[in-house]
Amino acid sequence: YGQLKRAVDAAVRRYEARLRTTVLDVPILEVTSSGVVQRFGLAPERYVQKTATRAALAVNIDWARRAVTFSRRSDERGAREGLQDRLSFQFQLMALAQNLPHAFADGATVSMPVASTSDVERYDFVVVGRETLQLATGPVQTIKLDRAKGAGVDTRVEAWLAPERRWLPVKLRFTDRRGNVTESLLESAHEGG
């Protein structure tokens, strides 16, 4: 189960998001993303990933220097407009869909660079189509996006956005190179401080 908290401070155009994944009420993963809102959308500045068995790993994005640095390695990567992290990308998808819904037609591809805890990858999502999900609050019509495994891609990422709920991401599934699946369903969302 996943719980997501998202807050956007409109006065200073900052955002903060947190995703906590638990199994039998035991936290197994917690990720946070914080940054600013720029003309291209979310501009994450810091991403932290903490698991139950490992120390926290962080990614820092310095927009003035256009540099991405990682806590687990000494080199850096370049940062360009549209760069997201492994949490913010789903809200960037939401913002893109709100502003460019025609870009989310069946079969379309939506792409963006995404920083993980060790590198920057390109996420190419194919719009699979409509799917009805059963959530705790009842059935929800969604649009499914899929970043499939393939050449140079060892993590599959699936995202379900709910157009009737302002394209809110209501489900997310990661399948790693070993076949391990981490799935999050939206339980609650809170706007504001």
Side-chain angles (χ1 to χ4, degrees):
Y1 298 101
Q3 180 180 24
L4 175 71
K5 291 189 177 179
R6 173 179 66 95
V8 176
D9 184 335
V12 292
R13 301 191 50 84
R14 292 200 58 81
Y15 80 89
E16 183 174 324
R18 179 174 62 100
L19 174 68
R20 185 174 186 210
T21 304
T22 61
V23 174
L24 302 173
D25 292 327
V26 176
I28 60 166
L29 174 69
E30 184 164 338
V31 294
T32 60
S33 174
S34 59
V36 296
V37 180
Q38 293 190 6
R39 67 176 181 75
F40 61 83
L42 297 182
E45 297 173 329
R46 184 160 173 84
Y47 170 82
V48 178
Q49 177 178 304
K50 172 74 176 100
T51 66
T53 58
R54 294 188 180 160
L57 298 172
V59 177
N60 294 293
I61 302 168
D62 182 335
W63 289 101
R65 288 185 38 237
R66 299 266 185 202
V68 182
T69 56
F70 310 91
S71 65
R72 68 192 287 181
R73 57 190 291 181
S74 60
D75 61 335
E76 60 183 50
R77 298 285 188 257
R80 67 176 205 254
E81 288 187 358
L83 175 70
Q84 299 302 309
D85 60 43
R86 289 190 72 189
L87 181 56
S88 69
F89 81 85
Q90 58 190 301
F91 301 110
Q92 183 72 355
L93 285 172
M94 176 181 164
L96 289 171
Q98 287 173 353
N99 291 301
L100 303 166
H102 61 277
F104 288 75
D106 290 1
T109 300
V110 179
S111 301
M112 67 183 67
V114 175
S116 69
T117 57
S118 60
D119 209 347
V120 175
E121 303 174 68
R122 182 179 169 101
Y123 277 26
D124 293 316
F125 289 98
V126 174
V127 180
V128 176
R130 296 195 172 275
E131 191 172 309
T132 302
L133 296 181
Q134 291 295 328
L135 300 180
T137 57
V140 176
Q141 295 297 317
T142 67
I143 301 293
K144 181 182 178 184
L145 290 85
D146 191 359
R147 177 191 186 235
K149 290 183 182 183
V153 177
D154 63 0
T155 301
R156 181 179 185 188
V157 182
E158 298 163 276
W160 287 260
L161 307 179
E164 294 172 3
R165 295 185 181 182
R166 299 183 59 219
W167 293 88
L168 186 69
V170 295
K171 182 177 178 180
L172 187 67
R173 179 186 300 145
F174 285 90
T175 306
D176 71 16
R177 66 181 178 272
R178 293 182 216 105
N180 297 319
V181 176
T182 303
E183 187 172 285
S184 300
L185 291 171
L186 183 71
E187 289 181 358
S188 63
H190 308 278
E191 288 192 41

